[in-house]
C-alpha cells in the first residue's frame, strides 16, 4: 500500500518547522511499517484530514480484532496519554492495548470506535455541553498518582506567551496580558480539589462508539483543578463564546458542578494566552475581564 500523509499532519509540520520534526516526517513511512510489523497489523488508510501531530489509521490484528494505530510526534503536553488511558481503563475513554515510545515517536494501539463519528459532527453545541460534562465527571474519578501537575503546563504556556509578547507587543492590551498570564500561573496552586484531567477534551475528541454512546480520545493528562477541564470545549464554541463568554462558562460550570468563578477565570487566562495566535480571543478576554476582577 502506498503511504498516505494526512492533510493536517503535513500542515502541522509546515506550521511548526524544526529539523527534528522534518526528519520525523521523512522517516514516518518506515516508522509506520515497523510498528505494523511489531503488532502484526493490517493497516487501512489514515483518517483524513487527521490531527496536526499524529498519523492515525484503522488497523486489524492477526487475530481479526479491530484496532487503531496512532503514531505521534512526541510533545510535552501529551507524554502521559497511554498512562492516562490505562488509568481510565475504558470508563469514558478509549482503551489502550499497547504502547511503544522510541526517540521522538510515541505509538499507541487503541480501541476502535464504531461508527467513530465525532460529537461535533453529530450533535448541536448546547447538547455537546451535556455529553462532554458527563464524560469529564467520570474521568475525574480516576487515580492521580504519577501524573504531572497542571502547574507545569501553565508555567510552560506562560513562558511561551511572554516570549511571543516580547517579540510582538500590541496584539493585546498590556493590562489584560499581565492579568491573564498572572492568573494562568496562580490558578493551579489555589485549587481546593485535584483530579486527573483530560485537558484537551472538546467535541471533535469525543467519538460515537458501540461499547458506549460516546468515548473520549486524545487526552493530555495532568493533575489539577477540575474547573480547568471545560476550557478547551469553550474555546472551540466560537460563536457562543464571542456572544456571551461569561454566560457560556457559567452554564458549563453548572453542568460540571465546578465553581463558576474559577471556570470564568480559567477561560479568561486561556483567552489571553491564546490571543497572539488567535486574535479573535482578544475581544473575548476583554469581555471577560470585568468578571474576574
Amino acid at each position: 500500500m502506498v503511504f498516505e500523509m494526512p492533510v493536517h499532519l503535513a500542515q502541522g509540520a509546515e506550521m511548526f518547522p524544526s529539523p527534528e520534526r522534518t526528519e520525523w516526517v521523512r522517516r514516518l513511512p518506515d516508522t509506520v511499517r515497523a510498528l505494523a510489523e511489531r503488532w502484526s497489523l493490517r493497516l487501512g488508510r489514515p483518517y483524513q484530514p487527521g490531527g496536526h501531530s499524529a498519523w492515525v489509521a484503522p488497523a486489524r490484528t492477526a487475530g481479526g480484532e479491530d484496532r487503531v494505530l496512532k503514531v505521534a510526534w512526541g510533545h510535552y503536553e501529551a507524554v502521559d496519554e497511554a498512562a492516562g488511558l490505562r488509568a481510565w481503563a475504558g470508563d469514558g475513554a478509549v482503551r489502550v492495548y499497547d504502547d511503544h515510545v522510541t526517540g521522538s515517536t510515541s505509538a499507541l494501539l487503541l480501541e476502535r470506535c464504531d461508527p467513530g463519528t465525532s460529537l461535533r459532527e453529530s450533535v448541536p453545541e448546547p447538547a455537546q455541553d451535556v455529553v462532554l460534562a458527563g464524560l469529564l465527571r467520570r474521568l475525574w474519578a480516576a487515580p492521580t498518582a504519577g501524573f504531572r501537575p497542571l502547574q507545569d503546563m501553565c508555567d510552560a504556556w506562560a513562558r511561551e506567551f511572554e516570549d511571543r509578547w516580547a517579540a510582538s507587543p500590541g496584539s493585546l492590551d498590556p493590562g489584560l496580558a499581565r492579568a491573564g498570564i498572572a492568573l494562568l500561573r496562580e490558578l493551579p496552586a489555589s485549587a481546593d480539589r485535584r483530579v486527573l484531567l483530560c485537558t484537551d477534551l472538546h467535541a471533535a475528541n469525543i467519538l460515537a462508539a458501540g461499547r458506549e454512546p460516546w468515548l473520549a480520545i486524545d487526552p493530555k493528562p495532568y493533575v489539577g483543578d477540575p474547573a480547568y477541564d471545560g476550557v478547551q470545549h469553550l474555546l472551540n464554541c466560537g460563536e457562543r463564546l464571542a456572544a456571551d463568554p461569561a454566560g457560556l462558562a457559567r452554564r458549563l460550570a453548572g453542568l460540571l458542578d465546578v465553581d463558576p468563578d474559577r471556570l470564568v477565570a480559567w477561560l479568561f487566562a486561556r483567552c489571553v494566552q491564546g490571543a497572539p495566535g488567535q486574535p479573535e480571543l482578544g475581544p473575548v478576554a476583554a469581555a471577560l475581564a470585568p468578571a474576574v476582577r
Side-chain angles (χ1 to χ4, degrees):
M1 184 175 70
V2 176
F3 182 81
E4 183 177 341
M5 177 69 79
V7 171
H8 284 171
L9 183 57
Q11 290 175 347
E14 293 174 1
M15 290 165 54
F16 306 103
S18 71
E20 296 81 8
R21 190 162 185 166
T22 299
E23 178 63 10
W24 182 83
V25 169
R26 187 187 71 79
R27 294 175 58 87
L28 186 58
D30 291 337
T31 302
V32 168
R33 280 191 287 270
L35 288 163
E37 291 177 6
R38 177 187 183 90
W39 285 317
S40 300
L41 302 175
R42 186 153 45 89
L43 299 176
R45 296 178 64 186
Y47 296 111
Q48 292 284 8
H52 288 98
S53 60
W55 189 95
V56 185
R60 181 160 292 172
T61 68
E65 295 117 340
D66 287 337
R67 297 287 186 263
V68 165
L69 176 64
K70 178 176 182 178
V71 184
W73 163 251
H75 57 291
Y76 75 91
E77 293 167 23
V79 297
D80 285 335
E81 179 176 358
L85 292 173
R86 287 195 172 93
W88 288 310
D91 187 3
V94 294
R95 293 184 172 118
V96 58
Y97 295 102
D98 205 351
D99 71 295
H100 180 66
V101 177
T102 178
S104 55
T105 297
S106 174
L108 295 94
L109 190 60
L110 300 166
E111 174 182 8
R112 192 192 306 184
C113 294
D114 184 20
T117 50
S118 74
L119 184 66
R120 183 174 65 184
E121 298 172 282
S122 309
V123 176
E125 273 187 12
Q128 293 173 15
D129 303 344
V130 178
V131 173
L132 178 135
L135 285 176
L136 282 177
R137 290 197 306 269
R138 293 169 61 189
L139 296 174
W140 294 341
T144 61
F147 292 94
R148 297 170 297 173
L150 182 62
Q151 186 78 59
D152 288 2
M153 184 167 71
C154 291
D155 287 347
W157 279 353
R159 290 191 296 269
E160 290 171 6
F161 175 89
E162 287 164 346
D163 290 344
R164 295 181 73 177
W165 180 257
S168 180
S171 58
L172 195 66
D173 175 82
L176 283 181
R178 288 191 295 271
I181 294 307
L183 267 179
L184 190 64
R185 284 195 163 104
E186 294 164 5
L187 281 167
S190 62
D192 59 7
R193 180 185 172 205
R194 289 174 174 79
V195 300
L196 184 58
L197 304 170
C198 195
T199 78
D200 192 29
L201 194 62
H202 50 81
N205 276 350
I206 298 173
L207 302 184
R211 181 169 63 81
E212 292 198 20
W214 301 103
L215 291 171
I217 64 167
D218 199 24
K220 297 173 176 59
Y222 285 81
V223 172
D225 183 3
Y228 175 85
D229 231 4
V231 172
Q232 190 58 57
H233 173 62
L234 297 176
L235 293 174
N236 283 30
C237 298
E239 290 185 7
R240 291 194 298 160
L241 184 67
D244 183 12
L248 180 61
R250 292 183 183 281
R251 164 182 158 77
L252 186 60
L255 294 171
L256 291 169
D257 193 23
V258 299
D259 182 343
D261 291 335
R262 288 191 67 84
L263 184 48
V264 169
W266 274 118
L267 180 60
F268 169 68
R270 282 293 315 277
C271 284
V272 168
Q273 176 259 331
Q278 297 173 270
E280 69 275 12
L281 295 180
V284 178
L288 287 168
V292 296
R293 288 175 180 164

